[in-house]
Amino acid sequence: LAFYHPERARAMKVFVIYDAPDAPPSLHHKLAITLPAKWLDQSVEKVLVAFLGAYNKKFPDSVLVASELVLSVKEPSPFARR
């Protein structure tokens, strides 16, 4: 059993991947984001906003909209339910 201890929180690297089956492979994008420890108690929406900022800057002709996307955890991941 693990407990969250804010005083021991450390930065975490996550990968956000956009690879929608209906999007051409040239628009697929993978972004590594190092989350500061203080983000651990914040909404996951903050990660989505960071990804969208980077994606939309790189692909200004194919802008993604947050309300049309869903973040999910892919297997295998220590964050996925077993």
Side-chain angles (χ1 to χ4, degrees), residues 2-24:
F3 294 96
Y4 171 65
H5 297 283
E7 66 279 357
R8 289 193 258 165
R10 296 190 298 186
M12 178 188 316
K13 188 173 217 170
V14 297
F15 295 90
V16 182
I17 303 167
Y18 175 72
D19 60 356
D22 58 337

Side-chain angles (χ1 to χ4, degrees), residues 24-42:
S26 62
L27 294 178
H28 291 184
H29 188 59
K30 179 178 180 179
L31 181 66
I33 302 174
T34 300
L35 304 178
K38 64 183 178 181
W39 279 30
L40 294 179
D41 64 348
Q42 308 233 352

Side-chain angles (χ1 to χ4, degrees), residues 11 18 23 46 50 54 57 60 68 73 77:
Y18 175 72
K46 198 164 185 172
K57 184 176 181 180
E68 297 173 359
V73 178
S77 167

Side-chain angles (χ1 to χ4, degrees), residues 17-72:
I17 303 167
Y18 175 72
D19 60 356
D22 58 337
S26 62
L27 294 178
H28 291 184
H29 188 59
K30 179 178 180 179
L31 181 66
I33 302 174
T34 300
L35 304 178
K38 64 183 178 181
W39 279 30
L40 294 179
D41 64 348
Q42 308 233 352
S43 169
V44 71
E45 291 297 314
K46 198 164 185 172
V47 174
L48 181 59
V49 168
F51 175 79
L52 289 176
Y55 184 93
N56 291 340
K57 184 176 181 180
K58 184 171 182 172
F59 302 104
D61 294 332
S62 298
V63 172
L64 297 178
V65 179
S67 62
E68 297 173 359
L69 300 172
V70 176
L71 285 177
S72 63

